[in-house]
Each structure stands twice: as C-alpha cells, then as structure tokens.
Amino acid sequence: MKLEELSAVELGRRIAARELSSREVTLYFLDRANRLDGELNAFIHIDSEEGLRLAESADNAISHGDVASPLAGVPVAIKDVLCTSSMPTTCGSKMLEHYQPPYTATAVKNLTRAGLVPIGKTNMDEFAMGGSTETSHFGLTRNPWAKDRTPGGSSGGAAASLAAGMVPLSIGSDTGGSVRQPAAFCGVCGIKPTYGRISRHGLVAFASSLDQVGPLAHYVEDVAAILQLLSGHDNRDSTSLKQPVPRFTAELNKSLKGIRVGVIHEHLEHEALDSEVRAAVLDGQRVLEDLGATLVDVTLPHTKYSVPTYYLVAPSEASGNLSRYDGVHFGFRSRVSAALESPLDAMIARSRSLGFGAEVRRRVMLGTFALSAGYYDAYYKKALQVRRLIANDYRAAFERVDVLLGPVTPRPAFQLGENTDDPVRMYLEDLFTVGANLAGIPAMSIPAGFTAGGLPLALHLEGPAFGESRLLNVAYQLQQAKFFNAKLAPV
Ligand code: GLN
C-alpha cells in the first residue's frame, strides 16, 4: 500500500513501532507536495527544511522511547491563517505578504508538542473570506477531482492537499463553513468543533464569535485523533472552554441502536438543493436506519435568515478585527509619494486599498456600515437577535434528537469563476453551514460517494454543544459502511 493511502493513525503506529521513520514519511509527502503543487496550488509555502528538522527530532525522541502521541512523526499541513514563527503567515493577502509572526498559534504548538510535523502553509481565500479559494493573493487552488472546479473555501488548500495525498492531515479554520464546505467539495472529512473547543490564540481573527480551528483528514478516526491533540483550555484565549476534553476515539465503535437522527426539513426540501446531493443524504439516512437509528423529522424554522444573519455578524466583526492592518503595525505599506503628502490618513487609506483585495474591502465596508450610528439597531442588533432565534431552533431540535443529518452544500464543487462576479451567489452557497457557527455547535462533513460525473458528495452532521464524540461516532459508523469509504483523487 502506498503511504498516502494509509490513515494518519496507521502511519503514526508504524512510526512509533519504527517500521517507518518520520523522516522517510515526511520526505515522501514533501516530494508529492512539491511535485503536485505546480498544478493545484494548494500550498502558499512548503517548508522542506523545517519539516525534515521536525521529523528528525520526532525520530530521535521515538528512538529514546518517547512517543509524544499516536500521531507523532506524522506530517500535517497548516492553513495560512494560523500564526507560525518558523514560517510566513499571509492569510492569502498581499497585506501580509512578507509577514512572519513572532509567535506560534496554540493549536499548532499543541501539534508540534505531540510530535506532528508541519510541512507547509496552505492556500485560502484572503483572510478566510470566501468559499472558493479564488480570492487568494497567491493565486487560486484547483480541485484535485476536477481541475476546472473550485476546491471550496476558504480552507481550499487544506482540503485539496489532502485529497491529492500531499499530506495525511490538514488544519483549517471554519467561520461559516470553511472547513466543511471544502472537505465536502474534495471528498475528505472535516470538523468544526464546538465554539471554544480549540484555542483561537494565534488564529488570525476574521469574526471572533464564529471562528474555530478545525482538522481535516481522510478517515474519521484520524479526525478524532488529531482533534484530541488540538482541544483544551488555553489561558491565552478567554473564550476557550474549561470543560475537560472527552476521549474522542473511545466512542467511535459505539452502537447506533436507538440513536435519534434528525432530518432537517428546511435543508432537505430546499429549492436550491441539487438532486444528487439530496440522494446522498437519503442514502445516508438509509445506512443509519440499517445501523439501528431512528429518523425524526425536525424543523429549523429560521434557516432562511441564516445567510443574511451571518453576512451581517461576520463582516461587522471583521471590520473591527481588520482595522489593525493600517500600514504601520503589520505588513504592507503604500509608499506612493508618502514623503511629499505625508498625512497619516492618506497613507493608511492607500495601504488598505492596495493591500486588501476586493472581497475583503467589500466586507469591511459592509461591516462598518452595519455598525454605524443610525444603522446599528436595524442591522447589527437585529442580526444578533435573529442569531439567538437560530440557536434556539437548534436547541429545540436537540431536545428531540441526538444528531442532525443533512447536506453540507446545495450542490457539488462548482466551476472556477462561476460565482466570482456575483458575491451574493457566492454567499448563498453557505446556506447549510453557517447555522452551526451562529449557534456555536459542532458540525462535520464526511464523504458520501460521487456524482455521476465523478465529483465528491458529502453528508453534514451537526450535534449539540460539546457533542463531538457522538458526531464522530456516527461519522465513523457511516464511513465504515462501504459506500462512504475515503478515496484519493486521481492526480
Ligand atoms: N464562505 C463563508 C464566508 O465567506 C465562510 C468563510 C469561513 O468559514 N471562513 O464568509
């Protein structure tokens, strides 16, 4: 079996048993990544030197009997929105083109402490604003399954790098679907944990009340294993949960007999839902019933407000978070005739207009407008009120069911360029994913076969806050069913 076909847990097992060295595994994946990236552009930065240094130190520790975790020695790719002091961190933006942070995000530190080997930074929509990885200053990423299509976004590089077997594990971030939608488009698993489960320290802020780090992998057991290492309280993030972290791998094999699975009326009967995506969800329902689950019809009545609510809350928070990019504190500064004009305001305005791309500027303006005096009550405050109603819908649903099953996206991976001239069309693709972020609950995307044209299909599982174990359990059982097996793209 080729190394890219093994699960990360199996790679970790062989490395710990010294059947393989982390060095040879890392070299193998670095070679694939370097070879395939010319066409896919999944990475902004591949760091062979740092990767090999970390691999050798993992091998060294293991040779002394010190196996830091079940994934020690396994390579991982990091979305370029997470700060790394040893590699640049650009957020896909010209604004941060040459930025190298003085510190490393807690999530990444947790991984290196557990012996994992970051080999590079993956491409993304600029500042994670987007759903197609087309707004990156470093060029678009292609879907390994169909190179004229988007890998999704904003963690498009994370999902594409996995689907192409360039890495066995990948870390993304999810503010409104950015882990789950690319996972769905590329045929891999991805989870957005409960808000606060993983520290946001060093995750460059987009919308702080929605942002969560989330891992992607081919296999559910790999997601569980890496989520374990990423999770936990961090003094540096006051919103990180103080709850003890459950053993996510412990319940994967639990029987689904008697479990109640909610079928979301507003998602399954949505007019925008593609027929093959719908058929995949119905297949998923059948498999779960065969495994002993009971299907329950549920309703999330405020679904139709979720996209408008998200696109007020997220840009409002972004407009504040991105005010720090002023041409002084970080990154890009416009120097055009500054010496002659010299007013500070002009320099800041020019730096921001030239440093940010069109979508980021649009969001900053939208958010600034929604928060401005006279409009605050009508837009931002109203959106917060509706956000509460959306969270209440989920709460009511989880009084009746254990998990919700539905589609991740209205349709499979769309064509590159298809939505680029119409931001609202792009926003509407997020219909089924933003609810979980607004409500703070965990949600996961898992592969569910292919369309007749060979594009990946996916299932969306959502659970109550802190309910990752159950989600992973259901996802694992689904993946065991033959139809849902993980596959690599034929690159
Ligand atoms: N597509 C959504 C947006 O454009 C979600 C992005 C994300 O989760 N980072 O905002």
Side-chain angles (χ1 to χ4, degrees), residues 415-483:
Q415 301 274 346
L416 289 167
E418 203 179 323
N419 286 344
T420 39
D421 296 334
D422 189 345
V424 174
R425 252 185 88 168
M426 190 75 97
Y427 300 168
L428 288 170
E429 306 277 357
D430 302 335
L431 187 57
F432 303 131
T433 49
V434 292
N437 302 78
L438 290 166
I441 59 172
M444 184 164 185
S445 173
I446 57 165
F450 296 87
T451 66
L455 296 174
L457 290 163
L459 299 180
H460 198 207
L461 295 165
E462 296 171 280
F466 321 121
E468 288 90 349
S469 294
R470 193 45 126 176
L471 277 192
L472 290 161
N473 169 217
V474 175
Y476 182 76
Q477 297 298 324
L478 279 167
Q479 196 169 52
Q480 295 303 299
K482 188 165 169 269
F483 178 68

Side-chain angles (χ1 to χ4, degrees), residues 56-310:
E56 277 159 20
S57 104
D59 284 332
N60 194 28
I62 289 166
S63 72
H64 290 94
D66 176 12
V67 182
S69 79
L71 296 175
V74 179
V76 58
I78 311 289
K79 183 178 179 180
D80 210 18
V81 71
L82 283 154
C83 289
T84 44
S85 61
S86 60
M87 292 187 254
T89 300
T90 69
C91 290
S93 183
K94 177 181 169 77
M95 187 59 96
L96 293 178
E97 188 164 8
H98 303 294
Y99 179 61
Q100 185 139 337
Y103 69 104
T104 296
T106 299
V108 178
K109 262 199 183 148
N110 285 345
L111 295 184
T112 46
R113 203 172 289 142
L116 279 88
V117 177
I119 63 162
K121 306 292 293 282
T122 55
N123 203 3
M124 56 185 279
D125 280 300
E126 187 179 7
F127 283 102
M129 297 174 187
S132 66
T133 316
E134 290 169 295
T135 69
S136 170
H137 176 62
F138 303 94
L140 56 79
T141 298
R142 294 182 185 279
N143 189 320
W145 288 98
K147 302 204 179 85
D148 56 342
R149 289 179 188 262
T150 166
S154 61
S155 314
S161 61
L162 259 179
M166 298 155 101
V167 272
L169 291 167
S170 208
I171 307 300
S173 68
D174 191 311
T175 304
S178 277
V179 162
R180 291 162 287 152
Q181 183 252 29
F185 282 5
C186 291
V188 300
C189 300
I191 191 167
K192 181 204 89 73
T194 307
Y195 181 77
R197 181 66 86 189
I198 301 177
S199 168
R200 290 184 297 110
H201 175 69
L203 168 68
V204 177
F206 163 10
S208 309
S209 77
L210 302 161
D211 296 341
Q212 261 300 281
V213 174
L216 300 93
H218 285 285
Y219 298 93
V220 176
E221 62 264 41
D222 291 346
V223 174
I226 193 165
L227 183 62
Q228 197 76 51
L229 304 174
L230 288 164
S231 298
H233 180 68
D234 176 13
N235 283 333
R236 293 192 163 106
D237 172 8
S238 61
T239 65
S240 76
L241 293 169
K242 288 226 167 83
Q243 262 90 339
V245 180
R247 272 197 55 222
F248 296 122
T249 45
E251 296 192 2
L252 296 178
N253 265 317
K254 218 161 106 179
S255 156
L256 298 188
K257 266 205 185 71
I259 190 184
R260 296 158 304 165
V261 176
V263 177
I264 311 160
H265 174 80
E266 289 78 6
H267 291 198
L268 207 63
E269 303 309 327
H270 200 282
E271 58 179 18
L273 189 62
D274 169 90
S275 62
E276 288 180 289
V277 175
R278 189 168 189 278
V281 178
L282 297 180
D283 266 334
Q285 290 180 10
R286 250 199 319 277
V287 174
L288 287 174
E289 273 189 311
D290 288 347
L291 292 168
T294 308
L295 300 180
V296 181
D297 285 321
V298 301
T299 162
L300 298 176
H302 295 91
T303 296
K304 58 177 175 297
Y305 301 118
S306 57
V307 167
T309 302
Y310 171 83

